[in-house]
Amino acid sequence: KINKKEVLSIAKASLIKEKIKEQELIKHFNLNEENKYVDNILKQIYSSLNIQSKEEFKKYLAKFDIEIENLIYKINIEARWNELIFKNYSNKFEIDYKKIKENLKNQENKMTDSYLVSEILFNVENKSDLKNIYDKIKTNIKNNGFESAARIYSLSNSASSGGKVGWVNINNFSSTIAKEIKNLKIKQISKPISIPGGYLVLKIDDKKKEKTKLKNFDKELNKLVNEEKNRKLNQYSIIHYSKIKKNSEIIYE
C-alpha cells in the first residue's frame, strides 16, 4: 500500500543495518559456517506462511526472484548478532526472579488488563534531536501506518514484523511504561518513553480484561523470565549497534 519512495526508504534502512552488523560480526565469526539456529528460524518463517517444507519454501521464494541461500545468510547475520550480544552483555544485567514470581502469583485467578501492543524503539545521538525524529515517525505513521514506520525507524527485533509485540499483561510492564499504557486509548500513539538504550513509542492495538489461569506455573514463569532476558538483551543490542553505527562510514554508490 505504500509508494515506491517509502519502499526504497525501508530497503535502504534495512540494508544499512545489515551491513553495519555484518562488518562487526566478521571480526568474531565465519558467517559462511553452518549455524544450528538458522534452520529453526527458517522453519518458523515458512511455517508462518503455511508452507510445509524447505523445498516448498524455495519454490515460493523463486516467484519473487529470491534465492534461499541469500535469505539464509541474512538470517545467519541476525542469529550471530544475537549470539554476540548475549556473549558480551549477559553478565551485565540481573533478572529479578523474585519480583517476576510474585507478579505472576498476584495475577493468578484475578481480572487484569492485557494489551495488544506494537512498538517503535529508536535512539538519538543528541537529546535535542528527539522532537525532530519523533515528528518524522508521527508523520510516517500518519501517511503510511505504524507498521511502515516501525520497519524504517525501529531498532527493535520486532521491526521485521512491523513492530508487533503481541498481548502483554499490565503487570509485566515496567512501572514507567504501565503508567503510560493506562492513559492510552486504542489505536493511540504514546509520546517517546525513555528506556535504557533509547526511546520507545507504543501503540495499543486492542485491550481486554481477562482472568489469569495458570495451568503450569513453572512453564509460565520460565516464559516471563525469558521475555525479560530478551528485553534486556534487546536494549544492549541497540546500545551496541548505535555505538558501532556512530563509528561507521556509509558510502552510497
Side-chain angles (χ1 to χ4, degrees), residues 34 97 111 137 191 199 225:
E34 188 176 337
Y97 295 94
M111 295 296 293
I137 291 172
K191 294 178 181 178
Y199 293 89
V225 167

Side-chain angles (χ1 to χ4, degrees), residues 23-249:
Q23 291 303 307
E24 175 69 7
L25 290 170
I26 57 178
K27 300 173 187 176
H28 307 276
F29 303 100
N30 178 357
L31 294 178
N32 293 308
E33 269 185 357
E34 188 176 337
N35 184 343
K36 62 182 180 180
Y37 298 110
V38 169
D39 280 342
N40 288 333
I41 298 170
L42 191 68
K43 188 174 181 180
Q44 288 172 19
I45 293 171
Y46 66 69
S47 294
S48 70
L49 297 168
N50 294 317
I51 294 172
Q52 305 303 318
S53 69
K54 188 174 177 180
E55 284 304 312
E56 190 182 338
F57 188 42
K58 195 181 290 187
K59 292 175 184 176
Y60 171 83
L61 292 174
K63 296 177 185 177
F64 305 96
D65 198 26
I66 298 171
E67 294 181 2
I68 197 167
E69 289 76 17
N70 291 336
L71 178 59
I72 287 171
Y73 185 76
K74 289 174 180 289
I75 293 170
N76 192 29
I77 286 175
E78 291 304 314
R80 291 298 190 189
W81 177 262
N82 291 338
E83 190 177 335
L84 178 68
I85 298 303
F86 184 82
K87 182 180 177 182
N88 288 352
Y89 294 99
S90 61
N91 63 339
K92 294 188 177 182
F93 62 80
E94 293 181 359
I95 303 295
D96 194 340
Y97 295 94
K98 187 177 179 181
K99 184 178 179 181
I100 295 172
K101 192 172 183 177
E102 285 176 358
N103 281 343
L104 190 58
K105 282 182 178 179
N106 291 334
Q107 289 177 35
E108 193 165 13
N109 295 318
K110 289 183 180 178
M111 295 296 293
T112 54
D113 291 328
S114 285
Y115 297 85
L116 186 59
V117 181
S118 294
E119 66 177 2
I120 295 174
L121 188 53
F122 69 99
N123 204 351
V124 292
E125 291 186 13
N126 302 302
K127 204 169 182 179
S128 56
D129 296 330
L130 178 59
K131 185 181 183 303
N132 183 39
I133 297 295
Y134 179 56
D135 286 344
K136 284 183 179 180
I137 291 172
K138 284 197 299 181
T139 300
N140 196 287
I141 291 170
K142 183 179 178 181
N143 293 336
N144 304 303
F146 195 92
E147 288 188 23
S148 170
R151 293 181 195 278
I152 295 171
Y153 291 101
S154 186
L155 296 172
S156 172
N157 290 335
S158 64
S160 60
S161 60
K164 295 182 186 302
V165 176
W167 285 99
V168 184
N169 189 284
I170 188 67
N171 294 310
N172 295 332
F173 289 112
S174 70
S175 57
T176 303
I177 294 175
K179 184 179 178 181
E180 185 69 33
I181 285 280
K182 286 178 179 179
N183 294 322
L184 290 178
K185 296 175 181 177
I186 292 175
K187 305 300 180 186
Q188 190 176 1
I189 309 300
S190 75
K191 294 178 181 178
I193 305 167
S194 179
I195 64 168
Y199 293 89
L200 195 62
V201 174
L202 297 174
K203 178 167 80 86
I204 303 304
D205 297 304
D206 203 355
K207 176 184 174 181
K208 64 183 179 182
K209 282 189 177 292
E210 59 181 357
K211 192 172 185 178
T212 307
K213 295 180 181 179
L214 303 175
K215 294 180 180 178
N216 188 323
F217 186 89
D218 289 338
K219 185 178 179 180
E220 189 63 27
L221 178 61
N222 190 50
K223 177 187 170 186
L224 292 175
V225 167
N226 285 332
E227 286 176 357
E228 182 63 18
K229 283 181 180 177
N230 288 333
R231 273 194 287 270
K232 297 280 188 182
L233 286 172
N234 200 28
Q235 289 169 6
Y236 280 107
S237 173
I238 293 163
I239 292 168
H240 194 68
Y241 174 80
S242 298
K243 192 189 303 180
I244 295 167
K245 185 180 180 182
K246 195 180 292 185
N247 296 320
S248 298
E249 182 182 5

